[in-house]
Amino acid sequence: MKLLAFLMQTGGHIAGWRHPRAATDALTDIDYFTALGRVAERGLFDAVFLADYVGYHPVKGASVFAGMETPKLDPLLLLSVIAATTSKLGLIGTASTTYNEPYDLARRFATLDHLSHGRAGWNIVTSTMENEAHNYGREAHLAHGVRYERAAEFVDVARKLWDSWQDGAVAADKASGRYTDPARISAVNHDGAHFRVAGPLTVPRSPQGHPVLVQAGASATGQNFAASCAEVIFTSHPSIETARAFRANMHAQLGAFGRTPDMLKIMPAVTPVIGRTREDAAALQRELDGLIPAEIAISKLGALLGNIDLSNADPGAPLPPLPEAALQGENSTRDRVLELSRNENLPVAELARRVAAGRTSRTIVGTASDVADELQKWEAEGAADGFVIAAPFLPGGLEDFVDQVVPILQERGLFRTDYESDTLRGNLGLSRPDNQYEIDPSLRAEPEIW
């Protein structure tokens, strides 16, 4: 079983930051993040996982914004510091293909992979918020399909750049005076629909060859993109049935790209609410849910449904029909929320509370044994290769999982008792990518710099 620790602010529950065991005013404190890294490494997690965005979802009024935990530091800078205080833990950071350039991002992730001795991973996103477009000088967000076209080309360019230095290109031979072997360094000369990049990268090939590629889009377009390149999929499912169907469907799509299921780890998000007894766990869940202001829950629901305004909806009535514009295009999160609304016929207030509490993914409420039982069941029945653990509050919720659930998984032979490798690829059981310029020397071109 593979495990990632989702360091979502100070908790995966939207009101987790208000819990007494959540860190206070921690999101600009490097000691908070390094301490979480040490907890995750003590628990032998494969990696920590940092989400990111470069803007804000629109909210209805300053009072709603005031109640949300919004600060976000640059994930690659945070992971670089966590790298210095850990030795085996993987480091997965989110970066957008819509609001970055391939050369810059390839360089930054290659740098992180070198600095961590092979523990970097890139969570590839295409971004979803209009405010992000406005922060980057655009009138509107790119269309869904265009964003994924750009993403596919972006990843292609990044891979070329990571391969532009072959292994052994750095000679550093003092006797001969040759620092590099130019025969092992290649231009990229990419000229595509979205990018023109000459190369080579200024960073030699990193320990993993390429950082591990992670993806989370669940729309049809997102799934096709993931099938083409993702090595880990971070997904969200409320039930074992939907998770199993998703995993089977993803495996079926891999063949079109010459890939096999062993090249992909599918890891649903899980929020464990752990108590000494089941009654204690249920009380903790009620306590957390009771900390969600109703207006914030309803605002969150509107954002997930396509940024619609539900402030005037009757909280005791079923969800009103969505405007036609909100139903256009692919949006897997919107579709999961609508499915939950249809299946359980929930009034707006209850639907909002559930969605805001993070329960479009799986929340497990119970003892440590109950949590371990469910994880074991999901993996045994083909619903997951591992899990993204989104503790409801941090650091306490992650400490509970490490101290109480991990030992049970180990006793059952389901989880490692020591790291298998020094690299993220090695611990995930993923192979190091071949260098395309070594496989096919005809692709090589001398850079114009000599």
Side-chain angles (χ1 to χ4, degrees):
M1 185 182 297
K2 308 301 178 184
L3 293 176
L4 307 182
F6 192 26
L7 306 188
M8 184 65 176
Q9 307 296 82
T10 56
H13 188 287
I14 198 171
W17 69 274
R18 300 183 66 191
H19 193 271
R21 292 183 64 205
T24 301
D25 191 23
L27 297 181
T28 55
D29 182 357
I30 196 60
D31 293 336
Y32 167 70
F33 290 99
T34 54
L36 286 174
R38 289 192 293 270
V39 171
E41 186 163 79
R42 177 166 61 82
L44 303 177
F45 274 65
D46 291 84
V48 291
F49 185 108
L50 290 177
D52 193 39
Y53 44 74
V54 288
Y56 292 102
H57 284 293
V59 295
K60 188 69 174 179
S63 63
V64 174
F65 185 86
M68 301 175 72
E69 194 183 33
T70 49
K72 267 195 180 298
L73 301 186
D74 185 307
L76 268 75
L77 293 177
L78 288 175
L79 291 171
S80 295
V81 180
I82 295 173
T85 56
T86 56
S87 61
K88 306 283 188 180
L89 182 71
L91 308 155
I92 300 174
T94 299
S96 172
T97 56
T98 305
Y99 300 112
N100 282 289
E101 290 295 318
Y103 195 95
D104 177 58
L105 210 57
R107 184 170 181 258
R108 293 173 67 202
F109 274 103
T111 298
L112 178 62
D113 206 44
H114 277 290
L115 295 180
S116 65
H117 303 294
R119 295 185 280 141
W122 172 22
N123 178 43
I124 305 163
V125 299
T126 63
S127 298
T128 60
M129 295 179 282
E130 287 292 321
N131 183 235
E132 294 178 287
H134 301 159
N135 289 339
Y136 282 79
R138 296 182 182 172
E139 290 296 322
H141 212 31
L142 295 177
H144 186 272
V146 175
R147 294 201 308 274
Y148 273 102
E149 289 172 6
R150 178 184 166 99
E153 187 178 338
F154 195 116
V155 171
D156 179 47
V157 177
R159 284 170 152 173
K160 290 175 179 176
L161 289 166
W162 290 325
D163 287 348
S164 62
W165 290 63
Q166 297 177 28
D167 294 326
V170 177
D173 187 340
K174 293 182 179 181
S176 69
R178 290 173 63 85
Y179 193 88
T180 62
D181 179 356
R184 294 177 178 269
I185 301 173
S186 176
V188 167
N189 293 339
H190 179 90
D191 188 357
H194 298 278
F195 306 109
R196 294 184 65 191
V197 180
L201 200 61
T202 59
V203 182
R205 200 164 199 248
S206 68
Q208 294 187 112
H210 302 172
V212 172
L213 300 182
V214 183
Q215 213 270 332
S219 66
T221 304
Q223 289 182 39
N224 184 71
F225 174 66
S228 73
C229 67
E231 297 168 294
V232 174
I233 293 182
F234 170 23
T235 185
S236 175
H237 291 281
S239 72
I240 192 171
E241 292 78 18
T242 60
R244 186 167 53 229
F246 175 83
R247 184 168 178 263
N249 183 50
M250 285 306 311
H251 284 173
Q253 295 185 58
L254 293 173
F257 300 96
R259 306 181 67 206
T260 55
D262 62 298
M263 298 178 177
L264 178 64
K265 307 299 178 185
I266 298 176
M267 304 178 69
V270 169
T271 298
V273 180
I274 304 167
R276 183 177 56 83
T277 65
R278 291 176 181 173
E279 291 73 21
D280 289 343
L284 176 56
Q285 182 68 65
R286 289 193 298 271
E287 179 186 5
L288 287 165
D289 289 355
L291 294 173
I292 308 173
E295 62 179 351
I296 288 180
I298 290 174
S299 176
K300 174 76 169 179
L301 176 61
L304 295 180
L305 289 172
N307 296 323
I308 65 172
D309 183 4
L310 293 172
S311 58
N312 294 319
D314 182 350
L319 187 69
L322 299 189
E324 191 63 30
L327 296 172
Q328 300 302 310
E330 298 179 74
N331 185 328
S332 57
T333 302
R334 173 202 65 203
D335 294 343
R336 283 197 299 272
V337 173
L338 291 176
E339 181 182 12
L340 177 64
S341 175
R342 287 191 300 268
N343 290 347
E344 301 195 26
N345 195 32
L346 299 171
V348 167
E350 175 62 15
L351 179 62
R353 185 180 66 82
R354 288 214 199 174
V355 167
R359 287 200 287 276
T360 55
S361 58
R362 183 63 174 169
T363 297
I364 308 173
V365 182
T367 65
S369 291
D370 292 332
V371 174
D373 288 345
E374 184 140 0
L375 299 186
Q376 182 174 4
K377 179 180 174 66
W378 278 50
E379 187 184 46
E381 296 192 13
D385 299 298
F387 301 91
V388 179
I389 303 302
F393 49 85
L394 292 169
L398 182 60
E399 292 169 337
D400 290 346
F401 188 92
V402 167
D403 294 333
Q404 298 178 45
V405 180
V406 166
I408 296 172
L409 296 175
Q410 291 171 326
E411 289 167 7
R412 297 179 185 180
L414 297 171
F415 189 59
R416 64 171 63 93
T417 55
D418 199 1
Y419 282 107
E420 299 88 358
S421 172
D422 293 333
T423 70
L424 178 55
R425 286 187 174 279
N427 288 317
L428 288 172
L430 298 169
S431 61
R432 189 174 189 264
D434 294 328
N435 189 308
Q436 58 193 292
Y437 299 111
E438 286 186 276
I439 294 172
D440 188 352
S442 69
L443 297 175
R444 278 201 73 252
E446 287 193 0
E448 294 183 0
I449 53 177
W450 64 74

